[in-house]
Amino acid sequence: MKTKLIALTALLTAVFIVPVTAQDKINYLLINKLKLEVRADGEYTTTDTTPNLGFHGKYFNFMLGGDLGGGFSYYFKQRIVANPGTVTFFDNTDFIYLDYMPSQNWRLRFGKDAMALGGFEYDASPIDVYFPTNLWRNIYCFQLAASGAYITSDGNHTFIAQVSNSPYVNYNNLNYDAGLVAYNLYWAGNMGHWHTLWSTSMVEYKWNNYLNMIMIGNKLVYDKWDIYIDFIHHALTINDWGKNFGLVSCANYYFTPQFNIFIKGMYEQNKSNVTLGSSVSMDHQLAAGHTTARYGLGFEWFTTKQKNVRLHIYGCRMTDSYTDEATGVAKTDDAWNFNIGATWTMDYFKLFKK
């Protein structure tokens, strides 16, 4: 860990020294994004047994990106953590990819990337997501991938075809087969007040066996408020259609550009009979036979117009309904979660300009 911190310090030092001494515009082309972002939370969760109370660091991210010239650019985002990855060297790397845009309408990308899945909760940066769905928490979306995108001339529509590693290549050390892939088709649309993030996917969980996913996100955006509704459907077989799905919605009202109140709710169910092991569903989004719900209210306050510091607070109720395998009795686990925290972003180029 000390070696990582020393290397990061050396990199930051080099970035600042070079522009100051050389004033060379090429340096700004090679590195035009350099940020550290941090989020820390204090949480209290009620349970049927022992309540959970404590403070913890949620995220510590390093981001670097730039223009390489000739239509090439790159982006790198690393979660700085104490423990190394358990599967590959890139476990804690969210993004490390190379972009090539031969024209304003076409883009090719290769490297560690987010799987091209729809929905606005999924699309948000993890540091900005509060009490997420089971799918968001349980699918490891950052995978090595290759993709091609067509962008309309007005920039309002983007169509992506992507082939990536499957998140089942090694899911929670359950030793799935290596060499599994996922195929994703994606559309992002901007039609004035109406925005869309839609996708359809085939995710391989066993050789030539696929989890089929449809994710449809719709969002209305106005000056003072916005609201999105995401529909998530996943099925292993034709008999699963209509059994395993989720709905999540979040509405924001901006009293000022710096103060926001939001309401969020979700419902998810897995009624599939296809299981692996004891009661774990094959798609790993939600255990078979379970239905869950979460809903809550929260506030965000940005302390400056630059939005470099954000304070948040929310409370949400969580329920999980299922049938106890041992007794056959229907049960519902009920809990409340209260969270207060701060997020701060250190944009080194903005600091340097000041």
Side-chain angles (χ1 to χ4, degrees), residues 12 33 76 79 89 106 115 135-136 153 202 245 250 264 282 288 345:
L12 296 179
K33 175 180 287 188
F76 171 53
R79 281 170 286 132
F89 177 76
W106 292 97
M115 292 176 61
L135 179 136
W136 189 95
S153 296
M202 294 176 60
F245 66 87
C250 183
K264 184 177 181 181
M282 200 72 154
T345 302

Side-chain angles (χ1 to χ4, degrees), residues 142-283:
F142 300 110
Q143 300 291 340
L144 289 167
S147 64
Y150 174 75
I151 306 162
T152 57
S153 296
D154 58 11
N156 289 332
H157 299 274
T158 300
F159 302 91
I160 299 176
Q162 181 194 68
V163 180
S164 71
N165 279 345
S166 167
Y168 293 99
V169 167
N170 196 315
Y171 187 92
N172 284 352
N173 296 318
L174 293 179
N175 297 317
Y176 279 95
D177 298 335
L180 305 179
V181 296
Y183 305 95
N184 307 299
L185 296 175
Y186 175 93
W187 167 47
N190 181 351
M191 293 154 284
H193 296 297
W194 179 31
H195 298 191
T196 60
L197 295 176
W198 294 11
S199 70
T200 180
S201 305
M202 294 176 60
V203 180
E204 197 171 26
Y205 64 89
K206 189 178 179 181
W207 175 250
N208 210 29
N209 288 268
Y210 295 90
L211 169 72
N212 299 288
M213 297 181 63
I214 296 174
M215 299 179 65
I216 299 175
N218 293 284
K219 187 175 187 179
L220 292 176
V221 179
Y222 288 86
D223 291 338
K224 284 283 190 177
W225 63 273
D226 60 61
I227 183 172
Y228 71 74
I229 301 177
D230 293 342
F231 173 72
I232 306 160
H233 188 279
H234 37 101
L236 290 165
T237 67
I238 193 65
N239 294 328
D240 281 343
W241 285 92
K243 295 181 179 179
N244 307 336
F245 66 87
L247 284 169
V248 54
S249 180
C250 183
N252 297 280
Y253 185 82
Y254 305 95
F255 287 94
T256 71
Q258 294 172 235
F259 182 70
N260 170 44
I261 180 173
F262 65 89
I263 301 174
K264 184 177 181 181
M266 66 200 69
Y267 170 85
E268 296 172 279
Q269 71 171 38
N270 185 341
K271 299 297 185 181
S272 172
N273 294 321
V274 180
T275 58
L276 175 68
S278 56
S279 63
V280 180
S281 96
M282 200 72 154
D283 60 28

